[in-house]
């Protein structure tokens, strides 16, 4: 437990209160372009209604901060605990995930009132604190990081809601940008090499900086010499795979991926449409438009990423290879990279000075999502955070165009099942030397 | 083709224009208590979003009246034809029924604008007419009857959307009425008898009055002597069936119904909840409240209606028995019966002076929905109206508390698959003499 | 209860015992061409393994005759009651229908031993009787009729088991017959007319002859004047429907049928294959062979029968129209018709002297399967016989090439759900005059 | 390519021919206790009919050895290539896996004839060889190893076919052994420790010994210090988990495992039944019998293994930890361990002199099944061997009571999806030091 002078204390708490407000405002900002109707629906089970994201992140602060820590706190609405809980089975009976999109009440307005109420209570609570307890600090930070995760999901889900509509409404209406209609001018690929050796993996801060539980357990791994490409695979390169009948040749595919592709009739990245002989894609900014062949391919499943790599005679890196290469070739997270603050909501073309390790698109790795050595599960409901999902998921690294820029790190582990395509992901190729 | 004087013409057309406005206004009136969010969702495939009902009925007038008949008519939005078409496959590719609840755009406001636009065009069109062509008259009437059908569905669907929400929001907030908590004061049943003989069935008007295509084909049926009860089965009577383990005894059930009940874990009417030992139900007016034991049971499947009748040692009437008894014992449709104008949205307790043939609850008959002799399908898209559904559906008769009072007749045939419960239906028992 | 002299008694009982043996032997005869392996499997839920048919019909006699009526009867194997029960839920927990095809034990040999044991016991029991009780007589007859129903199912199921195998093994190997490869020589159709009037329907024997419970309730129906065709629709005629894009035009189809056909990718009768431009079909006798264009079309769903009729501008008859026409134009069941004794196991080409009302193929009617007036359910397990299925099934009339010739009558009502195709069915067209 | 003297050659080829005959005979031996019917069915998609195993392994030799290498080889039956292919999509259109259990033809007898024919051809072919080509040697060995894999599956599948039958027929009828009904005398657990360091993993033989492709890519891994238990978890220990409501406490479970357990109503290992208060299990030898509390628990999913470990406050080892510990503590595969030759077909109680690394039960590891560094896929159909399955599967190590004793090694990697229970698996607990 830290001992601070009064001034240090007030400064530290003020910083936290400011950060709280900033993160919370960003959620509302992301929703500004939405119509009331867009907040409500859940077109597939993996998507949550925007309204639900707004309420669930608020519920987190009410349940884990205000109720246990604020004296005489008055719950906003007793029923919200039931309605806006997610996977935290310890806390109470959760509403079925599949039913989220049918809950027209509470209304969007009531959910916004809920946010205003909880925010006011939280700020009041923070200002009333004499000193910041480490436990509480960690909890608040977890709540904010949790909200940032949901901000990212919000972008995916809004894209799915609008992009799944046959009339393709844009999230933001701007004139479509100039796009490269072929890959003649694609930035050439370089190979970034890493030598054989034992490397440190995972959060090395010993609790000094916030990291998620799944990054804990700093440990060593042995890597054989390898190299990774200096940029992400482009739409143009992926189209070559399609044109070479990549989707029709069993030899490139995992058996499960082959069956999945047949069952889904999956023949291209999500949001791609072949219209009158021209390849178009749906973008949040500008709606339906020609595909930029120089931009990174995104919205593909792990199966497709793996098949593409096999077609190339290459492979995906492991998450350990990725982390080690990123530390070597992109020692700092470049704040100018294509994160959500960029408001582009789509991966950008690679440039000479950026290897695209951060932002643009989460990079599929060939590592399944498993606990690190020494991983432990925290006590109580918070313990349900990440460890519950450590089976049948693949790790992705590096953040995307929907990630807040202060939310990502070299050790950050994202994870999704192999078949999901609706989030911003991409491919970086690797090979052993 | 009728020949009218100018005055007669204008009167006749003015009446039609008034009726048009009245029916169209009623759709909007039914939606007044809704929140924006309630318009959008589709919790099960049988339900349509209220927004969709408002747009689809408007699309009908635009597609079948304005486009073919109004000179220089400007379509409101080309995409609406695709989005708000229903089963009319001839008219164009329809949006998948299961996807209706994910279409957040066009917004509710745009749909309301669509209605205003089409209504203005329709009134202008009607007023411009010199004389009313029979074909057009029939088409307009079909459009209005079609809209009334959707008004009825709207009430069911709103009940499903609100009543399926775990916080049970009321559609209208009034103090719950006094309810009878037992069936001591239930009105005694009388038996209404009909003698053996040949009876006329179906629309006898020879096209003079509007009826649906499925009522056409006036014909004769032979009925053996029978009688039907003088009122609908009550909640109290149905509860006796439950308490007598009616749901647990195979001998009362159709094999398919038994499997269905097990699969659905169906153990009571829809919207019934046993809470702390007391039977409650959800009502549009007043929300969750104790069940009125004297009111008619409603929201049951055909399987349950049939099982109940078997448990009683009785049976359901055929649709021919129903029609013949209704003509004899309720020669006129009583305008004071419990129709949608009553704004009760729930079946009422029986009274001495009303045999409940009309209003309250659609009565399950033991007739499957098949074409009458001489039934023919009209040419073109309109021909898809009713005949497409003549398999694996059961006929219901008499209208409900959600039916407009000028929409029902003795010969009206409603139909639903045997497993559906979300609409207002009920049981009238019958037996041979 | 009848009172017979000793001689009459012994004669009557001897006749019954002979008939018992004859029916039981026929089940074994039908299985003779099978390999051990063919007895075991259940490729779709509607099919039962031949072994199961053999055991289930035996279980019927053991359970309903020997156990309650034979003194000191020793059950063959206590577990068989559980394994070989079907829908008779009153009698005991039944093995799940979907699991029938995984029960490799008891073996075929044990099931045959079971039959031998029960037959010996039954013959012994019959011979020990002093007089034949009416109740028992009825029960025995029910058991035999039940076995004949299963013999018919056995033929369908064997065809499905062998015909679903990619190597198309024949049930009987004979040189394929000469077939007509076009419909040039198809027998011309005549129209058989019936006048308007009130007709008797159902079993008129007042219990003197055996009929199933679903035929009981002799009653009157009013028929408007109509006519039916003098033969069944041929393969050649059906092929014209296919060639005219009948499967691709929504206007001919029931909405449910259209969805079904799309979902099933159903584009032709079952067992039809277009191989190198030639239409082939699988037949029990001879295996895969060219389709005989003059033979009746068979293995179609109700949806297809209905769509075909609509394409022709005609309709299917009701079951009452069928029964009345059959009584008028085929007063006796022609013993030379194409029944199972014919060992052709496939519908035959029509001939001048046979209107094909009986044998060849069960004729789809437009009547759904509902109880007749005065229908009652018998007490006890036997009561589960036919009434349990009176919803969402269509009636078929007249028997097929898999029906025993002494099993069919004018009043016999068969029934199947609208989507099933694996049994021998066909189309007779009708129209009002 | 090796150069051998004539004698060496004949010896080497003779050894191979003997080994060929031995492995092939073992498949037949395993089937001896089966009835004809048992060979045919496929109760769940993961099971293959025994007949299929016999034919598929034979097809492998015919397709990959005889057809390409034996001059003038006459194929036994052209259709078998289609029917008995499995995942080898390159070789030809494969019969759908789900349909395997409906193929009653070819009969068991024909499949046995197929085996006899191919064996005779194979022996003739081997004897005709002048020298053994390395490529061919490798192919033959692959065929034999492949057959041994199917022998193991055969045991699982036979258990599933017989053990899923409600009458529980035994595979071999012997008097049930004495079982320990409680865990009082369970062998105490010791902890076997391994120090931190870099270890060699995978096949180090550089192609000198046969190993599967998934073992190739000898490489190094860094392990932090850890220890594993000296024996497998027993039935008695697992029962404690059940009794402590382990299946009812979300905190022990992976989220996916929790949902799976609810959906499957999984509450205990497969083949366990609580009958009249006593825990019984089905065993191939002896059928239904009391559970031996000292024997290793088996037939559990990965989810259950993981939940059990979490309940214990421990974890499963990674596959690298397993391999390293096994090399240290069980340097040789003990030929006396409980392999298939033991004919017990069930895991045995641990003893002082055997750490159970080999035989008894495949040990679930916490490693998902991924390619090793330098893993490459072989050209052609053989390349489809193991790499196609490298996603969403967990690695198991050490063999089971159904594994041939010469088929297992320290580097052998087995793999199954997390939810499967029908094979012989078990739990060895681990922890970091």
């Amino acid at each position: 437990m830290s001992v601070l002078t009064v001034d240090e204390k007030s400064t530290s708490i003020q910083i936290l209160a400011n950060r709280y407000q900033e993160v919370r405002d960003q959620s509302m900002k992301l929703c500004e372009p939405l119509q009331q109707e867009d907040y409500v629906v859940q077109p597939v089970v993996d998507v949550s209604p925007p309204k639900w994201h707004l309420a669930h992140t608020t519920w987190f602060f009410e349940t884990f901060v205000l109720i246990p820590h604020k004296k005489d706190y008055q719950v906003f609405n007793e029923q919200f605990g039931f309605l806006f809980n997610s996977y935290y089975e310890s806390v109470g009976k959760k509403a079925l995930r599949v039913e989220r999109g049918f809950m027209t009440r509470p209304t969007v307005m009531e959910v916004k009132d809920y946010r205003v109420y909880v925010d006011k209570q939280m700020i009041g609570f923070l200002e009333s604190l004499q000193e910041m307890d480490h436990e509480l600090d960690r909890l608040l930070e977890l709540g904010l990081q949790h909200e940032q995760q949901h901000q990212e999901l919000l972008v995916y889900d809004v894209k799915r809601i609008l992009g799944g509509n046959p009339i393709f409404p844009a999230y933001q209406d701007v004139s479509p940008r100039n796009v490269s209609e072929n890959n003649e001018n694609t930035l050439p690929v370089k190979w970034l090499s890493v030598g054989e050796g034992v490397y440190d993996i995972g959060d090395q801060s010993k609790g000094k900086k916030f990291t998620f539980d799944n990054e804990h357990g700093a440990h060593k791994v042995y890597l054989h010499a390898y190299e990774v490409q200096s940029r992400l695979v482009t739409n143009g390169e992926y189209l070559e795979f399609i044109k070479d009948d990549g989707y029709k040749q069993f030899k490139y595919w995992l058996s499960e991926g082959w069956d999945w592709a047949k069952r889904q009739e999956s023949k291209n990245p999500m949001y791609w449409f072949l219209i009158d002989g021209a390849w178009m894609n749906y973008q949040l900014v500008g709606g339906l438009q020609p595909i930029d062949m120089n931009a990174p391919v995104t919205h593909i499943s792990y199966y497709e990423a793996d098949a593409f790599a096999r077609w190339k005679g290459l492979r995906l890196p492991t998450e350990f290879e990725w982390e080690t290469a990123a530390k070597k070739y992109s020692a700092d997270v470049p704040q100018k990279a294509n994160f959500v603050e960029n408001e582009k909501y789509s991966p950008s073309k690679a440039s000479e000075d950026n290897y695209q390790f951060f932002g643009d698109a989460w990079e599929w790795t060939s590592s399944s999502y498993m606990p690190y050595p020494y991983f432990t599960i925290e006590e109580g409901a918070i313990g349900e955070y990440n460890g519950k999902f450590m089976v049948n998921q693949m790790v992705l690294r590096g953040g995307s165009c929907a990630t807040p820029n202060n939310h990502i790190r070299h050790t950050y582990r994202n994870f999704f099942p192999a078949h999901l395509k609706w989030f911003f992901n991409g491919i970086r190729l690797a090979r052993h030397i």
Side-chain angles (χ1 to χ4, degrees), chain A:
Chain A
M1 188 165 320
S2 57
V3 180
L4 300 173
T5 65
V6 174
D7 273 7
E8 282 171 337
K9 170 251 156 182
S10 58
T11 308
S12 146
I13 285 176
Q14 194 53 48
I15 287 169
L16 190 57
N18 289 349
R19 174 155 153 69
Y20 175 86
Q21 200 60 59
E22 200 180 319
V23 170
R24 297 281 291 167
D25 289 350
Q26 170 69 1
S27 297
M28 294 310 297
K29 183 160 175 284
L30 286 170
C31 290
E32 259 165 35
L34 301 185
Q35 297 289 338
Q36 203 93 329
E37 291 83 348
D38 303 326
Y39 285 90
V40 184
V41 303
Q42 179 179 31
V44 293
V45 69
D46 309 295
V47 163
S48 293
K51 190 178 78 169
W52 190 89
H53 286 298
L54 294 183
H56 168 68
T57 48
T58 305
W59 166 88
F60 187 102
F61 287 108
E62 183 174 65
T63 303
F64 294 114
V65 180
L66 293 173
I67 293 174
H69 296 105
K70 186 164 192 226
K71 198 158 175 279
D72 299 330
Y73 175 71
Q74 201 69 31
V75 164
F76 181 75
N77 184 323
E78 290 291 350
Q79 294 173 316
F80 283 21
F82 169 69
L83 293 172
F84 299 123
N85 191 345
S86 65
Y87 46 87
Y88 303 96
E89 296 230 359
S90 330
V91 177
K93 193 184 162 200
K94 66 174 173 180
L96 277 180
R97 183 169 185 169
V98 293
E99 300 275 319
R100 282 181 195 163
F102 308 140
M103 299 298 128
T104 61
R105 315 289 180 90
T107 63
V108 175
M109 200 50 69
E110 288 171 295
V111 165
K112 289 181 177 174
D113 289 347
Y114 179 38
R115 288 184 72 89
V116 169
Y117 175 81
V118 165
D119 284 353
K120 201 176 151 195
Q121 295 282 325
M122 281 292 296
I123 296 296
F125 170 63
L126 289 176
E127 288 173 351
S128 75
L129 288 176
Q130 290 311 307
E131 63 178 13
M132 181 54 77
D133 169 297
H134 176 71
E135 190 63 33
L136 186 59
D137 187 39
R138 155 106 188 135
L139 203 54
L140 277 163
E141 192 55 39
L142 182 62
L144 294 174
Q145 298 275 349
H146 173 253
E147 180 133 2
Q148 289 188 308
Q149 292 183 308
H150 278 277
Q151 285 166 8
E152 177 145 7
L153 290 168
L154 193 57
V155 179
Y156 309 157
D157 292 354
V158 165
K159 186 163 183 181
R160 182 63 182 75
I161 289 166
L162 298 179
N165 189 316
I167 61 175
F168 297 118
Y171 171 71
Q172 283 182 14
D173 275 319
V174 301
S175 6
R177 284 149 293 129
N178 288 335
V179 299
S180 312
E181 300 201 355
N182 56 54
N183 48 7
E184 282 169 20
N185 300 312
T186 305
L187 191 72
V189 157
K190 288 185 291 186
W191 284 99
L192 313 179
S193 66
V194 176
E196 183 176 13
V198 173
Y199 293 93
D200 285 320
I201 292 294
D203 171 36
Q204 312 287 325
S205 79
K206 302 186 179 176
K208 291 211 183 100
K209 292 194 308 184
F210 176 86
T211 52
F212 281 113
D213 54 358
N214 61 12
E215 299 165 69
H216 299 171
H219 66 289
K220 296 182 194 309
V221 300
Y222 190 94
L223 298 181
H224 292 260
Y226 68 99
E227 46 194 18
V228 299
Q229 293 196 341
S230 59
R231 62 159 174 77
L232 300 178
V233 168
T234 65
N235 286 320
E237 289 165 337
Y238 198 84
L239 186 57
E240 287 174 35
F241 170 64
I242 295 176
K243 288 182 173 168
D244 194 34
D245 284 342
Y247 280 88
K248 295 178 188 158
Q249 296 186 67
F250 180 60
K251 66 179 172 182
Y252 301 133
W253 293 79
L254 289 162
S255 181
E256 185 179 300
W258 182 252
D259 293 344
W260 166 86
K262 279 191 182 166
R263 209 164 50 236
Q264 301 295 318
E265 298 181 25
S266 201
K267 295 187 288 259
N268 48 252
M270 198 170 176
Y271 303 121
W272 283 34
F273 305 92
L274 186 58
I275 299 175
D276 300 334
W279 279 102
M280 309 288 282
N281 66 359
Y282 172 80
Q283 302 267 16
L284 281 172
V285 179
L288 198 67
Q289 57 199 274
I291 294 173
D292 184 347
M293 291 302 159
N294 284 339
V297 68
T298 188
H299 297 304
I300 52 171
S301 67
Y302 175 78
Y303 304 125
E304 288 163 304
D306 182 77
F308 177 86
R310 215 169 288 196
W311 170 74
K312 273 286 193 190
L314 298 167
R315 62 175 177 86
L316 302 176
T318 67
E319 65 169 319
F320 310 115
E321 289 172 338
W322 187 95
E323 183 172 326
T324 306
K327 283 173 182 165
K328 179 170 177 186
Y329 290 99
S330 193
D332 298 308
V333 174
Q335 293 306 300
K336 298 289 182 199
N338 183 17
F339 292 116
V340 74
E341 290 79 6
N342 213 11
E343 298 190 12
K344 187 168 181 249
Y345 311 115
S346 175
S348 289
K349 180 182 168 177
S351 63
E352 292 286 354
D353 60 347
N354 175 9
Y355 292 144
Q356 298 188 302
F357 281 105
F358 296 96
D360 288 317
W362 290 99
E363 303 181 22
W364 283 114
T365 74
S366 67
S367 296
S368 68
Y369 180 53
M370 285 294 165
Y372 282 172
Y374 312 115
F375 173 74
T376 53
I377 292 173
E378 297 186 38
E379 279 300 305
I382 296 292
E384 297 178 17
Y385 205 79
N386 273 312
K388 303 303 269 187
F389 303 102
M390 289 177 170
V391 69
N392 292 339
Q393 310 245 11
M394 301 308 292
V395 173
L396 298 106
R397 294 297 199 105
S400 79
C401 56
T403 309
N405 66 10
N406 62 4
H407 183 67
I408 195 70
R409 334 168 248 287
H410 292 80
T411 59
Y412 197 110
R413 307 172 80 196
N414 200 353
F415 52 91
F416 280 104
H419 67 285
L420 291 182
K421 303 173 69 162
W422 100 109
F423 65 107
F424 294 99
N425 53 44
I427 307 172
R428 181 184 303 275
L429 295 169
R431 66 181 178 200
H432 277 292
I433 309 176

